[in-house]
Amino acid sequence: MCACAGDDGWWASAVLDDGAGEQLAQCLGWPLKERFARAEGRVKAREEIDTKLSDWTRERSAEEVTEILQAVGVSAM
């Protein structure tokens, strides 16, 4: 879970496959690094990913984050 802009705003997501991982990276404007392309790499980079996601979500409301990510096929709520 990541904090979002506003009072008591939170966001949660599950990247269930490599395609969703790619969509998430593109949506956040991250270069698709090879280590993020597969689940194993994302697990190893979890702290880095969590930090970047938190930075990104703090600038947006929970509703905006959900809308942006769902529009590209990333499970978010």
Side-chain angles (χ1 to χ4, degrees), residues 42-59:
R42 290 190 299 275
V43 169
K44 288 180 181 177
R46 184 176 184 161
E47 283 187 36
E48 179 183 355
I49 292 169
D50 286 349
T51 298
K52 287 182 178 193
L53 277 173
S54 292
D55 291 346
W56 187 77
T57 60
R58 275 190 220 115
E59 298 175 359

Side-chain angles (χ1 to χ4, degrees), residues 1-12 57-58 60-63 65-66 77:
M1 284 182 88
C2 296
C4 294
D7 295 331
D8 200 31
W10 292 91
W11 168 82
T57 60
R58 275 190 220 115
R60 294 160 179 80
S61 70
E63 294 82 12
V65 170
T66 299
M77 61 178 169

Side-chain angles (χ1 to χ4, degrees), residues 11-32:
W11 168 82
S13 180
V15 175
L16 302 176
D17 58 38
D18 292 339
E22 291 176 16
Q23 292 289 6
L24 178 62
Q26 287 179 346
C27 190
L28 298 175
W30 298 348
L32 185 59

